[in-house]
Amino acid sequence: MKIALPTRGGKIDSHFGHCEYYTIVEINDKKEVVSKETLESPEGCGCKSNIAYTLSEIGVEWMLAGNMGQGAVNVLASQNIKVVRGCSGDVDTVVKDWLEGKVKDNLMTCDHHDCNH
């Protein structure tokens, strides 16, 4: 399984569509991290870019994110990528906590572009 995390400086970016890059983490059946790489973020708004398609093409099934608008949630869902919002902090810690069942979707979405979190 692969998960993607919008990242800025090694931490979850507070807004999916404006992240510096995506950290892509591959998890094996034993819930162990087997690889970690970065994927450059496209220019502009995440929900209007091809990032959902790109992530789907490389096998991403989950997005662990800070905040994002409903448009981004819908675009990711159209590519069968499940979203967990409300994540924050160090990327490695978020992955570990998610694998341990400590991270749940807060179901909150931004309702406008360029919001400050």
Side-chain angles (χ1 to χ4, degrees):
M1 162 181 47
K2 286 187 180 179
I3 59 176
L5 303 96
T7 308
R8 181 173 301 278
K11 298 188 182 303
I12 297 290
D13 194 306
S14 63
H15 199 286
F16 146 83
H18 301 281
C19 67
E20 184 178 5
Y21 57 91
Y22 294 90
T23 301
I24 310 299
V25 179
E26 186 171 1
I27 310 295
N28 67 15
D29 292 339
K30 297 177 184 175
K31 293 189 176 185
E32 300 167 329
V33 174
V34 294
S35 70
K36 185 167 83 170
E37 59 187 282
T38 60
L39 175 67
E40 186 176 334
S41 180
E43 292 287 324
C45 177
C47 65
K48 296 178 182 165
S49 73
N50 66 346
I51 192 61
Y53 177 78
T54 301
L55 293 170
S56 177
E57 282 291 300
I58 62 171
V60 170
E61 298 176 44
W62 288 89
M63 168 75 66
L64 306 183
N67 296 297
M68 68 175 63
Q70 189 61 47
V73 172
N74 294 344
V75 169
L76 290 162
S78 76
Q79 295 298 317
N80 298 311
I81 298 172
K82 297 171 250 359
V83 174
V84 176
R85 294 158 289 189
C87 301
S88 64
D90 177 76
V91 167
D92 293 332
T93 302
V94 171
V95 170
K96 177 183 172 292
D97 288 349
W98 183 73
L99 289 171
E100 293 175 358
K102 297 177 184 175
V103 176
K104 304 291 183 203
D105 188 0
N106 71 5
L107 304 175
M108 295 180 67
T109 56
C110 297
D111 59 2
H112 56 284
H113 281 90
D114 298 324
C115 52
N116 294 318
H117 299 282

